[in-house]
Amino acid sequence: MRTFRSLKQIAFPLVAGLALVGIVEAKNYPAARSLAGQLSPQGLTPSADPGGLGKARDQIQKVLTGMEQSQVAGGPGATDLLETAYKMFVPQVGPAHRNAAVGTLTSMWIEARALGAFDEQNRFTGKITKGADTGQAVVFEYIVPMNLAPKFSRDVANVRLVAPSRKRAEGSKPTDRELAYANTLKVIEREMSGLKSLASIENGPKMNGLGQTKAEAEQLWKEQQKLAGDKAQQKPSILIQSRLASTPSKRNDYKWVVQAEVTNMSMFPTEVEVECIILGTTDKYRQNYVMGQPKQKLQMRAGQAEKLVFETPMNEGAYKGRADDFEKLSKPERAGSQASFRGAIIRVNHPKGTAATFATDPVMLDLLQENAEVKLDALPKLYLDAKTWPPLSTGK
């Protein structure tokens, strides 16, 4: 199988406080500092700005180019770059606003990549070169319509990027997810206004992407379960998207981090277990092995989407050492070896069987096939005790 070696991300420790330290930080984070100039909010408007979407679009286009160029050049990953730029160089943006903006900009970047909207110099062009809408321009539209959120008419936190065939139909009603996101915008508005409630918002219970606490989300799920009856026990239709979110760096304890978005496409609620099988490849014989198999349980309402983050149970150095031991490398060979990420398989498990699978490299799905030459269960699990490793297969 073909193997891809991950580029190292550049990462440095975050420091705050003294002016002298700020100068050092600016010097050490040129890409984040450069991008920060494009991230300053354009401010809330008393009423909807007729040209607001165009102003937000102009800002977003520059940001997407910065994200793509950093990602491709082996600098900080696109999302890491955004978070660093906001936290270090745009301190006037509060945590709720920052998290929302990072989320929308990252989603737009992922969609722009999928549509082929970047040129050879990794600049955002807005022209679609992949898929059914090839040749057309991407569409920027509000997440929450202006009649419901007029103050956010030029804020990137309320914009999404879609292909023309997927844009909101004229006069259509907002979805439940869009209505829930309106609550997030209200939180941002209070945060920006500096109300006394800000402290309780920041220190209060954690909320999901729909602005709901865990208890609120669970209660809504139970209500849907009751209404769905026996239908809720059926195997659901699940859509998965996944990517490598970050490579080993000091910021993530030198682990690989995989992000997955899981959407319940069924018309009924469900409860599933999402399993992320993270694979690596040995340095000498290029044999695939399992880095880890973290799992998370989800209670999902009809149409609900959840973003999950999985990380390897061990750090880069631990995998290198175990892979070297597994291949019985000599001292000179160990000096030049490295731990390599191969990819990840996302599998959604349900009591009635596997509901969906996805792989960052489709070739890896062969490991799950019944007639596969090498099956997933046969791969060495190097995150476990060495006594459980099968004999090395060199292909000779």
Side-chain angles (χ1 to χ4, degrees):
M1 290 185 184
R2 196 169 47 153
T3 303
F4 298 90
R5 295 196 178 216
S6 304
L7 294 171
K8 301 286 184 183
Q9 288 186 325
I10 302 170
F12 302 87
L14 298 179
V15 191
L18 301 175
L20 178 60
V21 174
I23 294 172
V24 173
E25 288 176 338
K27 184 177 180 181
N28 285 346
Y29 292 87
R33 179 184 56 184
S34 176
L35 187 66
Q38 310 298 335
L39 296 178
S40 295
Q42 300 189 57
L44 302 187
T45 55
S47 57
D49 179 353
L53 187 58
K55 295 172 184 176
R57 178 197 60 215
D58 293 342
Q59 181 180 11
I60 292 166
Q61 290 174 336
K62 296 172 183 176
V63 175
L64 294 179
T65 291
M67 294 171 69
E68 178 69 3
Q69 290 180 341
S70 182
Q71 178 81 18
V72 173
T79 303
D80 283 347
L81 177 71
L82 270 183
E83 292 178 342
T84 301
Y86 269 116
K87 290 178 181 178
M88 294 180 58
F89 302 109
V90 199
Q92 68 272 27
V93 177
H97 197 180
R98 180 179 68 237
N99 290 340
V102 169
T104 56
L105 287 166
T106 298
S107 294
M108 285 188 273
W109 172 71
I110 292 172
E111 184 67 11
R113 279 191 137 199
L115 296 173
F118 293 96
D119 63 16
E120 293 80 1
Q121 285 74 46
N122 304 308
R123 294 174 301 199
F124 177 77
T125 65
K127 184 177 181 180
I128 299 172
T129 62
K130 299 178 183 178
D133 294 277
T134 293
Q136 300 186 62
V138 302
V139 173
F140 289 94
E141 64 179 14
Y142 293 118
I143 299 172
V144 180
M146 278 300 90
N147 64 315
L148 298 178
K151 294 183 179 181
F152 286 83
S153 61
R154 57 191 187 199
D155 195 291
V156 300
N158 191 33
V159 179
R160 63 187 170 206
L161 182 158
V162 297
S165 59
R166 295 181 56 210
K167 69 179 182 179
R168 180 188 289 115
E170 191 71 29
S172 62
K173 294 182 179 180
T175 65
D176 290 342
R177 190 178 183 186
E178 291 165 353
L179 291 174
Y181 191 69
N183 293 328
T184 298
L185 297 184
K186 291 178 182 178
V187 171
I188 294 172
E189 183 180 348
R190 291 198 295 268
E191 180 179 76
M192 295 176 74
S193 301
L195 298 178
K196 293 181 180 179
S197 59
L198 175 60
S200 62
I201 293 169
E202 291 182 320
N203 300 321
K206 292 184 178 180
M207 295 186 178
N208 61 18
L210 301 179
Q212 301 155 342
T213 65
K214 182 178 180 181
E216 290 170 339
E218 185 174 3
Q219 181 59 36
L220 289 172
W221 178 79
K222 287 181 178 178
E223 290 173 3
Q224 273 202 8
Q225 282 275 88
K226 187 176 180 180
L227 289 172
D230 293 340
K231 186 179 292 185
Q233 307 307 315
Q234 296 178 16
K235 187 165 69 172
S237 174
I238 300 291
L239 176 66
I240 311 171
Q241 290 293 323
S242 180
R243 65 183 180 89
L244 176 63
S246 66
T247 51
S249 68
K250 188 171 183 178
R251 290 182 62 192
N252 57 29
D253 295 326
Y254 297 98
K255 296 180 178 182
W256 282 270
V257 181
V258 176
Q259 179 177 301
E261 180 167 329
V262 181
T263 305
N264 179 15
M265 304 297 290
S266 305
M267 300 301 292
F268 52 85
T270 190
E271 185 169 17
V272 295
E273 178 185 69
V274 183
E275 177 183 20
C276 181
I277 305 157
I278 307 173
L279 302 176
T281 304
T282 61
D283 193 78
K284 184 176 181 179
Y285 295 109
R286 318 310 297 160
Q287 177 165 330
N288 293 332
Y289 65 89
V290 181
M291 286 181 155
Q293 293 180 250
K295 301 175 182 179
Q296 293 186 42
K297 288 188 176 181
L298 282 182
Q299 292 178 334
M300 306 185 74
R301 300 186 302 282
Q304 183 178 345
E306 283 289 336
K307 286 186 177 179
L308 305 177
V309 175
F310 300 93
E311 64 178 29
T312 54
M314 301 192 304
N315 62 32
E316 183 179 23
Y319 289 109
K320 171 178 159 41
R322 291 197 175 193
D324 288 352
D325 291 344
F326 179 67
E327 293 197 302
K328 297 180 173 58
L329 299 188
S330 65
K331 195 169 183 179
E333 288 175 324
R334 288 172 181 263
S337 69
Q338 66 177 20
S340 296
F341 173 83
R342 173 67 179 86
I345 298 172
I346 307 297
R347 184 162 57 186
V348 179
N349 302 314
H350 184 267
K352 293 192 175 180
T354 301
T357 55
F358 180 90
T360 52
D361 177 358
V363 173
M364 295 190 299
L365 290 177
D366 290 343
L367 294 169
L368 303 178
Q369 302 304 315
E370 286 294 328
N371 58 348
E373 184 178 344
V374 177
K375 291 187 179 181
L376 180 64
D377 292 341
L379 296 183
K381 297 177 175 57
L382 299 194
Y383 67 99
L384 299 178
D385 188 277
K387 294 178 181 178
T388 67
W389 303 349
L392 173 66
S393 173
T394 63
K396 294 182 179 179

